[in-house]
Amino acid sequence: MPINSLETASRYSEELDTLFAQKSVTGFFADNALATKFVGAKTVIIPEVDFQGLADYDRDSGFSRGSISVSNTSYTMSMDRARSLQIDREDMDETGIANLAGKILGEYVRTKVVPECDAYVLSKLAGVAASRANLIKGDVKAPFAALCEMIQAVQEIVGHDEELVAFVDNAIYAALQQSEEFNKTVAVDQFRQGNVDLTVRSLNGVAIIPVVSERMKTSYTFNNNALGGFTAGPNAREIYMLVCPKKGAHLVKKTEQMRIFTPEQNIDADAYKFDYRIYYDVFVQKSGLDAIWGWVSPAVTVSTQPTDKSVTAGAITGKLTVAASAESGTLTYQWYEAADAHGSGAVKVAGETAASMNIPTDLTAGTHYFFVKMIVDGVAATASSVAKVTVA
């Protein structure tokens, strides 16, 4: 049965790596890691070369001697993530195993692995920019000016012949497209990522890569529970833009070979089992630290979180309230009802756009979950904690 062969497992790993390169907005950073060398399960060495500058030529003594300094810096990879997936024997016949497995694994990489890797890489690069005080204070009503300011700041460090990339939050990208200056100067270019050529819009040769808000936060919690995945950190801010050289970071990704088990080999269930594991991390060399610039949303401080409530069906009263303030800009609100305490499956509560929300009077007996998003200048959203409303 081909699904059980080592050759098939290797083929899946190769195809998933290709899919990662196609779908990840940060996947091109892996192209910079070719010179890296693994020295252990989680340790990688990245060489960095430094030269002495030119000196005057002396007609008597000739050339001034200089040196080349090659330093090998060790970096430790911190992201070791995995998941075991199972497909019940009854969900497929023998002839359809390979096709269904390929579709499921591909969808898993596209919807779970790629978003997490992108979120981690972008948050870490934003952290580098913040640690070097390489943050601008732009105006959401003038995103084109902010983009030009950041490009200029990076080019001041690396020059004008270095290929740059700008990651742009989806809402800011929409505002950019309304900019007359942007539309007059933007062009369509080819962008090389691994072995894939992508079509992107560019500004004077700088590739503009729009990114969904989910992946553009300054910090994340990478869950290690049954739910898994990742969520924005408690004090996360929105990354409006990041600009850096295309070669400005090294994405080191080491995917372990896919392990595949048939129902006969799977001791836990009568199902086909697929084990997927990935080591990855992103590193910036010392020489490139000041070539990463960012623009993040104003900080939102929540002084009062919504609290749990207990009410009686048919006589529901009371409110859920949040108290918050923004470092700058205007705060607006939108309340959501969620499916669980993690905020999953959130649906807007129509008309509830204030800091306080009346508990809906038509709630049925049981437990209901609500939270509010606090939105700065109509762009950056910070979610409150989830409040539980118990209806007796």
Side-chain angles (χ1 to χ4, degrees), residues 139-144 147 166-183 186 201 208-213 216 238-241 295 377-380:
D139 183 350
V140 294
K141 296 179 181 179
F144 182 75
L147 176 58
F167 300 99
V168 183
D169 177 83
N170 193 56
I172 298 296
Y173 184 70
L176 265 179
Q177 294 182 90
Q178 302 300 316
S179 166
E180 184 176 346
E181 300 98 323
F182 180 75
N183 289 320
V186 73
R201 302 180 81 182
I208 310 298
I209 302 180
V211 188
V212 295
S213 175
M216 290 286 276
E238 193 86 3
I239 304 171
Y240 286 158
M241 289 185 191
W295 173 26
D377 291 332
V379 179

Side-chain angles (χ1 to χ4, degrees), residues 3-4 9 12 83-89 92 97 101 105 258-276:
I3 192 69
N4 190 33
Y12 278 139
R83 183 61 84 181
S84 184
L85 306 172
Q86 294 191 142
I87 307 174
D88 193 273
R89 184 201 294 267
M92 64 178 78
I97 294 171
L105 294 171
M258 181 72 63
R259 300 198 309 171
I260 301 175
F261 302 91
T262 65
E264 290 74 23
Q265 296 169 319
N266 185 357
I267 63 175
D268 299 318
D270 185 24
Y272 294 90
K273 187 159 79 84
F274 304 86
D275 290 346
Y276 179 87

Side-chain angles (χ1 to χ4, degrees), residues 122-138:
L122 293 171
S123 66
K124 192 164 181 179
L125 294 183
V128 170
S131 69
R132 308 291 292 186
N134 293 341
L135 296 177
I136 71 161
K137 292 186 177 180

Side-chain angles (χ1 to χ4, degrees), residues 281-303:
D281 213 323
V282 64
F283 306 108
V284 178
Q285 293 176 296
K286 292 179 181 179
S287 59
L289 291 174
D290 280 329
I292 299 174
W293 281 73
W295 173 26
V296 301
S297 65
V300 174
T301 302
V302 181
S303 54

Side-chain angles (χ1 to χ4, degrees), residues 308-363:
D308 296 345
K309 303 287 185 182
S310 295
V311 296
T312 303
I316 296 176
T317 60
K319 293 184 176 183
L320 296 175
T321 301
V322 67
S325 60
E327 181 182 22
S328 62
T330 302
L331 272 183
T332 55
Y333 304 86
Q334 176 62 61
W335 286 87
Y336 290 80
E337 182 171 6
D340 54 38
H342 301 289
S344 306
V347 178
K348 286 182 181 179
V349 180
E352 294 296 346
T353 56
S356 294
M357 180 191 76
N358 290 317
I359 299 174
T361 58
D362 60 350
L363 295 181

Side-chain angles (χ1 to χ4, degrees), residues 39-85:
V39 294
K42 292 187 177 183
T43 303
V44 64
I45 289 178
I46 301 176
E48 187 161 7
V49 181
D50 191 21
F51 304 93
Q52 290 180 315
L54 290 170
D56 289 342
Y57 180 81
D58 189 285
R59 290 179 178 269
D60 294 321
S61 58
F63 294 92
S64 298
R65 180 175 295 179
S67 63
I68 300 174
S69 175
V70 180
S71 58
N72 289 318
T73 305
S74 296
Y75 297 91
T76 300
M77 297 166 62
S78 60
M79 299 301 286
D80 187 356
R81 305 283 279 171
R83 183 61 84 181
S84 184
L85 306 172

